[in-house]
């Protein structure tokens, strides 16, 4: 294989196998860069899709939490009302028992 030669006019003569290797490396780097660019585009699409899914899931979770809070509030209100009625009934019974005991 011939070595690099420097010509008298300061130009360099490259051997053909070396030029072929350089061209192959250049094509390989270009293909690799294109592949990376494609992967980045795929990742951006994936990120967009999953961001939308996360927002939808968050909305569903918030709706479920609101529904649960409403149910707890309604149950507490019913329980408070039932307790008030029970207290009123017990007070009435105590009054009647006290009236009979006299």
């Amino acid at each position: 294989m011939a070595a690099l030669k420097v010509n008298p006019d300061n130009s360099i003569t490259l051997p053909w196998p070396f030029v072929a290797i350089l061209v192959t490396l250049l094509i390989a780097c270009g293909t690799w860069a294109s592949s990376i660019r494609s992967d980045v585009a795929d990742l951006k699409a994936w990120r967009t899709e999953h961001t939308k899914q996360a927002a939808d899931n968050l909305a569903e979770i918030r709706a479920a939490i609101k529904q649960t809070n409403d149910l707890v509030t309604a149950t507490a209100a019913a329980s408070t009302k039932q307790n008030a009625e029970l207290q009123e009934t017990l007070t009435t019974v105590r009054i009647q028992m006290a009236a009979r005991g006299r």
Side-chain angles (χ1 to χ4, degrees):
M1 183 186 244
L4 296 175
K5 292 192 317 187
V6 178
N7 298 327
D9 61 352
N10 290 333
S11 65
I12 297 175
T13 303
L14 300 174
W16 283 110
F18 187 66
V19 173
I21 290 171
L22 287 178
V23 169
T24 302
L25 287 175
L26 182 65
I27 291 172
C29 288
T31 304
W32 178 65
S34 174
S35 173
I36 288 177
R37 190 173 184 171
S38 174
D39 290 346
V40 168
D42 291 344
L43 285 174
K44 285 181 180 179
W46 179 88
R47 178 179 165 222
T48 302
E49 178 183 340
H50 282 78
T51 302
K52 182 183 177 300
Q53 285 180 355
D56 293 345
N57 289 342
L58 182 62
E60 289 176 13
I61 290 170
R62 285 186 176 164
I65 289 172
K66 183 180 181 321
Q67 184 179 10
T68 302
N69 287 342
D70 292 345
L71 180 63
V72 168
T73 302
T75 304
S79 178
T80 302
K81 181 180 176 189
Q82 185 180 19
N83 286 344
E85 291 171 356
L86 182 61
Q87 287 295 329
E88 185 179 337
T89 302
L90 288 175
T91 302
T92 304
V93 169
R94 286 183 190 139
I95 292 171
Q96 289 175 357
M97 293 298 286
R100 287 186 189 167
R102 286 190 177 178

